[in-house]
Amino acid sequence: MAQLLRRRMLSSISVFVVLVAAVTLPGRSAADPKAPDRAFAKLVSEPSLMRHSEVAQAIGELGHGDYRTIFSGMRVDPANDRVTVYATDLDQAQLLLDRGVGPLSSTKRGATSIEVRKAKYSRHQMEAASKGIWDAAKQWKSVGAQVYSIVLLSDGSGLEVRTSDPARAASNASRSLSPSILDAADIRYVKGSPVRPADRHSPSAPWQGGIPIRHDVNISGYQCTSAFGVRDRTYNAEYLVTAEHCFSVGNGIEAQGGTGIGRVQQENNPHDAAIINANASSQVWVNDDYVFNFGAAQYSWDGEYVCQSGYTSYPNRCNIVVTNEAVQWDFGDGKGVRLGVEGWQCSGCAAVAKGDSGGPVWATRSDGVLTSRGIVSGFHTDVDPGRSGEFILWTETPSVLTVLNLSLQTS
C-alpha cells in the first residue's frame, strides 16, 4: 500500500462560537518537526469550523452533574453565536447558568446569547424511560420489532425509538411497557437502520491515539484504532484507550509490524471502552502527517462540529455535525446498550467506516486547545453496505474517564 508508512488519519478542526477570534493550531509535537502545509493551515483557520462555545461547555458540565434532574439538553447555533438550554425547572436553570457562566471571563463569554426554554422532561427522566424500552425490547425482537437505537431529544420533548417495524413496536409497547413518567404520545417510533460496529503506519511507544491496532493472534490487517492515552487516578498507571467491542480482556494488542503494545486490562460495555496496559502519550494523529497533543476532554452538544480520526477513513472525516447529543444503541452482540452521541457529515457521505472503531473523535476550542470528544463506536444508514455509514456514533470521553476512574493524558 502506497500509504503504508503514512498514517490514515484525518485533519480538521471542529468547534464553536463563544468568541470570534483568530485561532491557532494546537502545539505541534516535537516528534513531527514539519510545518503544516498550506491546505491544512487553511482548513484549521476556516471560521465556520473554528467557532466553539465555552459557554455551552460550562453549562453542560453542570447539566450532566449537579443539575441532571432538571437539565434536558442543549443546542448550539454557531452561525448566530447562540446557546439554547432546555430544562424542566426554569428557576433551577437560572442557578445553573449563574454557576456555569458567571465565573467565565468576558473574553470567554464574548457576545454569546443564552436562551433558556422550558422542557417537558429532564435527561434523567428520559434515561429512565429508555431503560424500560430496552428491557421490553428484548422480547419484541422475536415478533419482528427490533429496536436499533433510541434518541433522547435535546429539547426534552421525549424519545425517538428507531426500530425495524415502527407500527409493531408501538403496538408491543402499548401492551408490554410498564407505566412511565413519559406520556405515550411523547415516545415516537420511527423506521431505523441497524447499528454496526465501525471495527495508521509506523508508530512506536509512547503510543498515540489514532494508530491501527489488532489482536496479536495470527490476524492479518488491522481491526480497530486507538483513541487516546490515559492515567489511572489512583495508581497513576498508563493505558491506551480503544473500543470495547473490538477486543476482550486479556487480549494481547499489537501495532504496525507486529510490535506489541500491551494487553487489554479492563472494559466498560455501556461506554464501549477498553483500556490497554501501555506506555501511552497525550498525542493523537489528525492526518497522515501531523500529530498534536490533547489538552482537555469535553462533551459534545447538538449543532457542534467534530472530526474523527479512525485509520480507515482516509484522508479525513471532519465537518461532522452533532445531530443528537444523547443516543443509545445496541449492536445485537449480547453486551447490552451503548450510550453516546450521533453525528452526520452529508447525504451519501461516509462519516465512518469499518476499522475506525476505537478511534478518536475530537474538536479544537477557540483558544486552539485540541479537545478529546470520544471513541468511535459504530454507524448506521449504510453508504457502502455493511462497511460504512452516513451517521457515526461515538461514546464520550468525559463519561469514559469518570466510569473508569481515569484522567486524560494532556500536554
Side-chain angles (χ1 to χ4, degrees):
M1 179 184 293
Q3 296 292 331
L4 185 61
L5 297 180
R6 295 164 61 85
R7 291 207 56 296
R8 275 191 191 168
M9 299 303 295
L10 318 188
S11 61
S12 172
I13 302 294
S14 75
V15 300
F16 276 50
V17 288
V18 162
L19 325 154
V20 177
V23 179
T24 58
L25 283 168
R28 190 168 65 251
S29 165
D32 191 341
K34 293 186 292 185
D37 59 30
R38 292 182 180 179
F40 188 66
K42 180 177 184 296
L43 178 63
V44 298
S45 62
E46 174 60 43
S48 65
L49 297 180
M50 295 308 300
R51 297 170 180 168
H52 175 78
S53 179
E54 295 186 43
V55 168
Q57 192 60 36
I59 295 169
E61 290 284 353
L62 286 172
H64 274 296
D66 293 349
Y67 294 87
R68 64 188 304 269
T69 58
I70 63 99
F71 178 74
S72 305
M74 192 155 40
R75 179 78 189 177
V76 176
D77 180 356
N80 296 300
D81 200 3
R82 180 184 300 122
V83 173
T84 303
V85 180
Y86 298 92
T88 57
D89 184 320
L90 298 185
D91 291 335
Q92 286 294 309
Q94 186 58 57
L95 294 176
L96 187 163
L97 297 185
D98 291 344
R99 283 185 57 190
V101 181
L104 295 180
S105 67
S106 58
T107 301
K108 288 188 174 182
R109 287 197 300 269
T112 302
S113 62
I114 305 171
E115 180 180 2
V116 181
R117 294 188 182 181
K118 177 75 173 178
K120 190 170 184 179
Y121 305 110
S122 68
R123 178 76 62 85
H124 182 67
Q125 291 171 318
M126 292 187 288
E127 287 172 347
S130 69
K131 182 181 185 302
I133 294 174
W134 284 115
D135 289 343
K138 295 172 184 176
Q139 307 303 320
W140 300 352
K141 183 177 179 180
S142 62
V143 293
Q146 183 171 359
V147 174
Y148 299 129
S149 58
I150 301 176
V151 177
L152 287 65
L153 297 171
S154 62
D155 63 0
S157 60
L159 303 176
E160 179 182 273
V161 181
R162 297 165 176 172
T163 173
S164 58
D165 189 327
R168 186 167 293 178
S171 176
N172 289 337
S174 67
R175 297 192 304 270
S176 61
L177 271 186
S178 300
S180 166
I181 194 166
L182 269 65
D183 294 339
D186 296 325
I187 302 175
R188 189 163 62 100
Y189 297 86
V190 301
K191 182 71 174 177
S193 299
V195 177
R196 310 178 193 279
D199 290 349
R200 274 165 195 218
H201 286 243
S202 54
S204 60
W207 304 103
Q208 308 102 340
I211 62 172
I213 57 178
R214 66 186 179 192
H215 188 195
D216 62 3
V217 181
N218 299 320
I219 294 177
S220 61
Y222 291 93
Q223 294 170 281
C224 290
T225 307
S226 62
F228 46 82
V230 295
R231 285 182 182 274
D232 183 278
R233 289 174 180 168
T234 303
Y235 302 105
N236 208 36
E238 294 184 359
Y239 301 98
L240 188 65
V241 177
T242 188
E244 169 274 325
H245 73 257
C246 293
F247 308 107
S248 299
V249 171
N251 283 170
I253 307 301
E254 64 183 22
Q256 171 71 21
T259 304
I261 294 176
R263 292 192 176 276
V264 177
Q265 174 74 20
Q266 186 179 357
E267 296 179 333
N268 180 272
N269 292 346
H271 297 283
D272 200 5
I275 57 174
I276 305 163
N277 281 318
N279 177 7
S281 80
S282 63
Q283 299 174 339
V284 59
W285 287 91
V286 296
N287 64 11
D288 268 11
D289 297 310
Y290 300 107
V291 57
F292 297 127
N293 292 296
F294 276 132
Q298 292 189 348
Y299 292 105
S300 296
W301 306 103
D302 280 9
E304 287 194 291
Y305 288 84
V306 302
C307 298
Q308 70 92 355
S309 299
Y311 85 92
T312 303
S313 290
Y314 174 84
N316 64 56
R317 292 295 182 272
C318 284
N319 271 345
I320 297 171
V321 63
V322 177
T323 51
N324 288 291
E325 66 193 35
V327 183
Q328 303 169 346
W329 61 94
D330 190 340
F331 290 133
D333 57 2
K335 294 184 176 181
V337 177
R338 271 72 173 192
L339 316 169
V341 181
E342 176 188 78
W344 176 84
Q345 193 179 38
C346 59
S347 181
C349 300
V352 65
K354 285 280 189 180
D356 290 336
S357 275
V361 179
W362 47 273
T364 297
R365 283 196 324 221
S366 55
D367 58 4
V369 172
L370 190 68
T371 64
S372 174
R373 296 302 186 91
I375 305 168
V376 175
S377 180
F379 63 87
H380 67 83
T381 310
D382 287 2
V383 176
D384 181 1
R387 297 189 59 82
S388 64
E390 279 192 22
F391 289 84
I392 176 176
L393 296 160
W394 68 90
T395 58
E396 298 198 89
T397 301
S399 298
V400 170
L401 298 178
T402 298
V403 298
L404 293 177
N405 192 36
L406 304 169
S407 59
L408 183 69
Q409 293 272 58
T410 58
S411 55

